[in-house]
Amino acid sequence: MKEYWKNIVVLLIALLFAVLASIDFISMQVQEKIAPNQNLTEVKMLSCYSPGLKGTDSDTEVYVFDSGNPGGTMLILGGTHPNESAGMVSAIATIENLEVERGRVFIIPWTNKSGFTHTSPLDGMQDRFSITLSDGSIRTFRVGNRLTNPVDQWPDRTYYEGTSGRKLIGSESPEIRNVNRLYYGKENGVLTERVCYGIYNLINAEGVDLTMDMHEGSPEFLYLDCTMVNQKADNEKAMSIASSMALSMQLDGLDMRTEYSGKSSYGLSHRSLGDNTASMMTLMETYNPSMGPLHGKMDDDLIVNGNEPNYYQAHNEGYIYFDVPENGYPLAERVARHLTCISYLAQSYSEANPHDAIVFEGLGSYDDIVEKGLGNLLKPID
Amino acid sequence: MLMYIYLAITAFILVLVVVNMFRKKNNIFYQIDAALVMVTLILRLILVK
């Protein structure tokens, strides 16, 4: 036995590292707390709409705000892609500040909940970022991966064509873990499809009239700072409402445009849910410098302040179409764009459907949010 | 079913790595290499990563 003491020591050190790494990875399963809002009516689980999610890491909270007054129903999705931080933070900020006066609002902050439990391997990703609140307390949020954790769904099939009609072949095969490729989902499909089915079933069961799916993209992406809108063959109203939203925002000095869903965007929320439900589907994108391949060191400055000189230089040299600000594009401004877009969208919808209006307060104007910052928008956790 | 096959293969490779590590008891660098491989295999085996 004595001759193996070195081996035993190395074995014990390996086990120690495995335990430490496990603690770090498992801590990613602890989700962010949400400050209480007295206007919140109910918290459901998505498994109420997709029983196949019950007991899985993808079963996620659905926050319900019911005014008790007749009106329309709106669904807000954040965290479809967990590494697109503005979507989740906007959804959480909405839950903590919303006051609904007419109709109902459903909010899902962690749409792909499993995706929040891991990061992209070999990408130098940071797993969390922090925001200091006005009272000095600090709130920490996870930066996950855009795909479902392979621990929860594996293997990635090399070829796939499900209810979405989208083919996932070769290098695209990991996208079978992408919530925004598998809509409208399948009740007994792979885990990610069951999430999509839950959203689809929620929209049908609750009679959702209007849906906003909040995303971010890397600066090289062309569809930034715009809202994608589904165009149904039998429903041209969606674009007229979204255009009215964009026009109102432009008149108030906020740059916004709308575009139709791509013809081949099968499986994406704005396309597939729009085609297969009665809801008016929209998807919003903002620019996130931490997502692109040109970003430097991943830290809070990059995620929260959106400060990446490489993109500013790339823009100045004509490689990036998006107007990259010299001092970065802070998370507060990206969240402000999402929240403002939600408010304007509901307002435009209500003007077109006065008997089915969705009226709420509490989110504030774009300037208010930017001026006060996330430290005042997010509430302290006891 | 595929998951169980995957876990069985992972456990089998882990055992081989440990056995080999004990065989090369005088080569510390070999043992460190084996330890690095073992950490990832253990994390996969217990479905943490």
Side-chain angles (χ1 to χ4, degrees), chain A residues 227-249:
Chain A
T227 302
M228 307 295 294
V229 184
N230 177 262
Q231 180 191 29
K232 287 180 183 172
D234 60 345
N235 178 14
E236 292 181 359
K237 210 164 64 174
M239 183 48 99
S240 76
I241 289 169
S243 298
S244 164
M245 170 205 75
L247 190 59
S248 300
M249 290 178 77

Side-chain angles (χ1 to χ4, degrees), chain A residues 85 89 126 128-132 139 141 143 288-290 298-307 327-335 374-375:
Chain A
S85 304
V89 174
Q126 182 161 294
R128 290 175 179 83
F129 63 93
S130 299
I131 294 169
T132 304
R139 287 184 66 174
F141 300 89
V143 182
N288 181 342
S290 75
M298 178 78 91
D299 53 15
D300 276 19
D301 183 45
L302 178 58
I303 298 172
V304 179
N305 301 323
N307 197 5
N327 297 321
Y329 192 13
L331 183 61
E333 288 183 28
R334 283 137 54 195
V335 168
L374 294 176

